[in-house]
Amino acid sequence: MAKWGRILAPLLVLALAVGLRAADPQALSELRLRVFDTYQRLAPREYLPAPVRVVDIDDASLERLGQWPWPRTMLADLVLTLHEAGAAAIAFDVIFAEPDRTSPARVMTTWPDTAQTAALRELAAAGRLPDHDAIFAEALAKTRSVMGFVLTGGGGGAPPPVKAGFASMGPDPKRFVLRFSGAVSALPVLAEATKGSGSLNVMRESDGVVRRIPLLVADGDQLYPSLAAEALRVAQGAGSYIVKTVGAGGETGFGAETGVTEVKIGRVVVPTDGEGRLWLYDSGAQAERVVPAWQVMAGKADERVRGAIVIVGSSAAGLKDQHATPLNPIAAGVGLHAQVLEQALSGAFLARPDWADGAELLSVAVLGLLVLALFQIPRLPFTVSVALGLAAVAGVVGASWHAFAAWRWLFDPVYPAVTGIAVYVAASLPRFLQVEGEKRRVRAAFAHYMAPAMVERLAADPKRLRLGGEQRDLTILFCDIRGFTSLAERMTADEVTQLLNRFLTPMTDAILETGGTIDKYMGDAIMAFWNAPLDDPDHAANACRAVQAMRHRLADLNRDLVAEFPALGDGGIRIGIGLNSGPCSVGNMGSERRFDYSALGDNVNLASRLEGQCKTYGVDVVLSEHTLSAAGEQPALELDLIQVKGRRHPVRIHTLVDGAEAAEVAALRAAHAAMLRAYRTQEWDAVLEAVAACRRLPAAAGLQALYDVYAERVAALRTDPPGAGWDGVFEAQTK
């Protein structure tokens, strides 16, 4: 089930991702468009001087020439000035849908009826007063001018005049372009006077940003060009447009009718998306593109407009012709038409091929399957699979950016990348849960044996733990309360429990704080070891440090216990500790139903025997020569060469001196070594002299019982000499 889960879960995620991409909801489309915005911000279109100018009715022009709307006579002067300056075409990003209110016939309707105004009204009725719209129309008729209109979805309005023909190659383009049912057009007198008529429709995306501008729109059965397209046609003197759709001239959409592919305007071919829209390749605001209207009227703009296609419009905030673009949140609408013309003349186009959706869908599937396959390769390291998966994701992002930088193609890298990451998460989740499960099991298994920090280290890397047993060098500790059986007889069961809990807690803390592992509690006894399950190169030294800490904590504890438990008397609890180091088998020991993490072996048994010899030598710690040699420099004192029960070979044993300075320990070692030499050479008088000398040294304050042992042995050996072949080994009679 776990294996199939690692396959089915990411496959399900991948299937959902592919289905979502195929459905392409609005949120996903907006995300893709924002990625394309980012590409444009990273590499915007370079502005190159082009024969396109914006005559801007800006705030400065309004201040100098008067508020908008200006009289049509002033606009007529503007048109004629531009024409005389050599403008290739003049297009208006303005809709003149109503008569000029400054015309005499319109103005006098607000005048009072007097003899003087009556005469003027008679002249107006006879057509002998000037009409500003007619004057403007005469100026337009003398120039290569284009009038703007807006198509609407509300119905009504006179349809705009059609100034050019349309030829299509392939299916009817009206099936694909944006369609409307109404129009707001210029006055017929103005519309008929111009050489061209173009749509001002600038369509925002769902997030309010203009990224694609229609070159073609439709009203009913009539196709119309945009203002920019019409200005380009009029400037070239072309009579018609050629619209190519999928299925024409080798254009294919993989069996699907995906719409318009390009529009030919005179000698210029402009690629579009399926709805006949041009992708705006934003250059941002450029001062060189703009000529203020007041400068034109002042005759200061001739060189800048000569040979240029001129778009007349306004950037004034009060006129509210502003839009958000990938590079500018408040771009003037007239500037958008100018940018369309710049792209058409320079050939700087963005393109999203009609096969882009299919390619992105394929990349989603391929990338997801690749990431999934990496997680199914046996024994492939987790870090390698992650690195390869990230490399695949980075490859998709890099390919998308290269396509934009090299060919200006728009491909979405984010959704395939997110899908790859989602598949990675789904594929790695079972492994993560498995690892977390192992960590929980490790924590549960060792929380009572080891210090919390050690448990976390083991949980972070469960490979450190080899379950089922392994051979390791350990240092083993056994600790026991002296005379506990007789002590327990003088106490109630509750008192015994309380006493043990009070005793075991500080002893356990001392072991865990030095990296030890609690093997088990056996009544009043503790078994622990170091160097398993985590490696501890200093396990012998750490065990010695634990012993010293146990001594000190017991001394502190006894001060409280003698007052709480009268049965202890004045001496409190006395302990014996045995330490030994060597190879052991350590791991989970027991049955399939119940097991413990424990250590077994001859060296474990020796540690237990050494703990029992604390009574023999009157000390609280006995450690083997193996532990001492592994622990490095310690305040140790040799006790004897002993053959414990159950072992054939003798072992040299030691104890740890506590509470003495290094110099005092060194002095005791020298005197004690002299005693042992005399003892092993059967120089009994010398032994007793050395014992007396040792007793007087400060470091021997806690070792008087030890020297009593040697004094008693000398007395016994004098009575029953061991003979010439004696090797000084003491054979233990008890465990």
Side-chain angles (χ1 to χ4, degrees):
M1 290 298 294
K3 179 181 178 181
W4 282 107
R6 289 194 295 269
I7 298 175
L8 293 179
L11 278 178
L12 178 60
V13 170
L14 179 57
L16 291 174
V18 170
L20 184 64
R21 179 61 186 86
D24 199 20
Q26 178 176 312
L28 195 59
S29 176
E30 287 184 5
L31 175 64
R32 183 166 59 247
L33 293 174
R34 290 180 185 277
V35 173
F36 299 158
D37 291 349
T38 301
Y39 282 179
Q40 291 206 56
R41 285 191 286 270
L42 293 173
R45 177 170 63 87
E46 181 183 1
Y47 177 75
L48 299 174
V52 177
R53 292 291 180 270
V54 170
V55 170
D56 189 8
I57 305 171
D58 58 2
D59 290 323
S61 298
L62 295 176
E63 183 177 349
R64 291 169 179 261
L65 302 177
Q67 68 180 28
W68 185 261
W70 291 341
R72 306 280 162 83
T73 52
M74 184 185 297
L75 293 174
D77 292 341
L78 177 65
V79 168
L80 293 175
T81 301
L82 289 171
H83 177 67
E84 292 168 0
I90 305 166
F92 279 89
D93 181 26
V94 182
I95 304 175
F96 300 104
E98 298 178 351
D100 186 357
R101 64 184 180 182
T102 65
S103 292
R106 303 277 297 179
V107 170
M108 64 179 58
T109 58
T110 63
W111 293 352
D113 291 328
T114 65
Q116 293 82 1
T117 59
L120 289 173
R121 286 190 173 90
E122 290 178 1
L123 292 174
R128 297 174 59 187
L129 292 180
D131 181 78
H132 292 183
D133 290 314
I135 295 172
F136 186 28
E138 290 176 7
L140 292 172
K142 296 177 181 178
T143 64
R144 291 183 293 274
S145 58
V146 178
M147 190 59 64
F149 61 87
V150 172
L151 296 184
T152 66
V162 179
K163 301 285 185 173
F166 289 89
S168 61
M169 300 175 62
D172 187 354
K174 290 193 294 293
R175 295 167 49 193
F176 309 109
V177 302
L178 299 176
R179 300 179 66 85
F180 300 88
S181 58
V184 177
S185 304
L187 293 171
V189 65
L190 301 178
E192 295 298 333
T194 59
K195 302 296 189 294
S197 179
S199 164
L200 302 180
N201 291 80
V202 176
M203 308 304 295
R204 297 181 176 90
E205 306 286 350
S206 57
D207 59 355
V209 178
V210 175
R211 299 184 181 91
R212 290 173 285 191
I213 299 177
L215 287 185
L216 301 172
V217 290
D219 180 10
D221 292 330
Q222 181 58 56
L223 206 59
Y224 292 99
S226 70
L227 183 74
E230 190 74 335
L232 182 58
R233 179 191 68 80
V234 169
Q236 296 180 88
S240 62
Y241 297 89
I242 300 176
V243 184
K244 185 180 291 187
T245 54
V246 172
E251 295 291 340
T252 60
F254 298 95
E257 292 185 349
T258 55
V260 180
T261 60
E262 63 183 43
V263 178
K264 186 176 182 183
I265 309 170
R267 298 179 300 277
V268 179
V269 177
V270 182
T272 69
D273 69 359
E275 295 182 348
R277 297 174 296 180
L278 171 72
W279 282 92
L280 176 65
Y281 191 5
D282 203 352
S283 68
Q286 301 292 333
E288 189 175 346
R289 178 188 295 142
V290 179
V291 179
W294 71 266
Q295 292 185 5
V296 175
M297 297 297 286
K300 299 180 179 180
D302 290 5
E303 292 301 322
R304 283 180 284 173
V305 301
R306 182 171 290 113
I309 300 174
V310 174
I311 309 292
V312 180
S314 176
S315 67
L319 299 184
K320 298 182 180 180
D321 184 23
Q322 294 178 327
H323 307 273
T325 71
L327 298 187
N328 189 349
I330 49 171
V334 64
L336 300 182
H337 300 297
Q339 290 208 58
V340 170
L341 286 167
E342 290 170 0
Q343 288 183 238
L345 293 173
S346 64
F349 300 114
L350 296 179
R352 180 166 169 81
D354 53 9
W355 46 269
D357 285 329
E360 290 171 1
L361 195 61
L362 180 63
S363 68
V364 168
V366 170
L367 182 59
L369 290 173
L370 176 61
V371 172
L372 174 59
L374 290 174
F375 278 86
Q376 308 307 318
I377 299 176
R379 292 183 294 277
L380 182 67
F382 182 74
T383 54
V384 174
S385 64
V386 171
L388 292 176
L390 291 177
V393 170
V396 170
V397 176
S400 171
W401 171 253
H402 178 73
F404 178 82
W407 306 302
R408 304 307 178 197
W409 285 355
L410 299 173
F411 288 98
D412 176 24
V414 172
Y415 191 76
V418 170
T419 298
I421 294 172
V423 171
Y424 157 75
V425 171
S428 60
L429 184 60
R431 183 179 297 186
F432 171 78
L433 294 176
Q434 180 181 0
V435 171
E436 286 300 307
E438 290 178 358
K439 290 181 179 180
R440 285 193 298 271
R441 287 191 290 274
V442 168
R443 290 189 182 99
F446 289 93
H448 300 292
Y449 305 145
M450 302 172 63
M454 300 289 284
V455 173
E456 289 305 316
R457 285 180 56 198
L458 187 59
D461 187 7
K463 293 180 181 178
R464 294 170 180 252
L465 173 64
R466 289 180 55 192
L467 301 177
E470 60 176 324
Q471 198 77 7
R472 295 178 75 106
D473 281 332
L474 303 181
T475 294
I476 306 98
L477 174 146
F478 280 87
C479 174
D480 188 37
I481 296 178
R482 291 284 165 259
F484 181 74
T485 301
S486 60
L487 178 62
E489 291 177 352
R490 302 193 299 271
M491 303 175 68
T492 66
D494 288 343
E495 288 177 328
V496 171
T497 301
Q498 294 176 25
L499 179 64
L500 283 178
N501 289 340
R502 293 288 302 279
F503 166 74
L504 292 174
T505 297
M507 300 300 104
T508 299
D509 291 344
I511 293 169
L512 297 181
E513 288 167 6
T514 54
T517 299
I518 301 297
D519 185 305
K520 60 179 66 72
Y521 299 111
M522 300 164 288
D524 61 315
I526 304 172
M527 176 183 171
F529 48 78
W530 284 257
N531 200 36
L534 298 180
D535 294 333
D536 182 3
D538 299 323
H539 55 90
N542 284 330
C544 291
R545 282 194 285 271
V547 167
Q548 298 287 34
M550 292 167 72
R551 282 172 159 175
H552 299 159
R553 296 187 185 195
L554 180 61
D556 295 337
L557 178 65
N558 275 330
R559 284 192 288 270
D560 297 329
L561 292 181
V562 294
E564 297 178 28
F565 300 95
L568 292 176
D570 295 334
I573 291 177
R574 293 179 298 108
I575 62 173
I577 298 175
L579 284 180
N580 182 42
S581 301
C584 303
S585 178
V586 61
N588 279 338
M589 310 294 180
S591 69
E592 293 183 358
R593 294 182 179 273
R594 183 178 177 84
F595 55 84
D596 290 310
Y597 191 77
S598 184
L600 298 175
D602 181 61
N603 283 300
V604 176
N605 296 333
L606 179 56
S608 177
R609 297 290 186 268
L610 296 183
E611 181 271 320
Q613 293 306 311
C614 289
K615 293 177 286 187
T616 301
Y617 292 92
V619 295
D620 59 352
V621 177
V622 175
L623 62 153
S624 70
E625 58 187 331
H626 309 301
T627 298
L628 186 60
S629 64
E633 184 61 31
Q634 297 290 333
L637 196 68
E638 183 179 346
L639 292 176
D640 204 353
L641 188 62
I642 185 173
Q643 182 176 343
V644 300
K645 289 184 71 66
R647 288 178 65 95
R648 291 180 297 171
H649 303 291
V651 60
R652 202 172 300 275
I653 61 175
H654 307 262
T655 191
L656 295 175
V657 180
D658 185 32
E661 300 292 334
E664 295 173 345
V665 174
L668 178 60
R669 279 177 176 167
H672 190 83
M675 182 204 73
L676 290 177
R677 285 194 300 270
Y679 173 74
R680 289 163 184 162
T681 58
Q682 304 183 39
E683 301 175 35
W684 311 125
D685 291 337
V687 172
L688 294 177
E689 291 176 1
V691 165
C694 289
R695 289 181 187 274
R696 292 192 295 270
L697 296 175
L703 299 173
Q704 299 304 316
L706 170 64
Y707 294 116
D708 290 342
V709 170
Y710 274 95
E712 293 171 1
R713 282 189 187 179
V714 168
L717 291 171
R718 275 178 167 171
T719 303
D720 184 13
W726 185 58
D727 56 6
V729 174
F730 174 74
E731 294 184 8
Q733 301 303 311
T734 62
K735 295 183 179 181

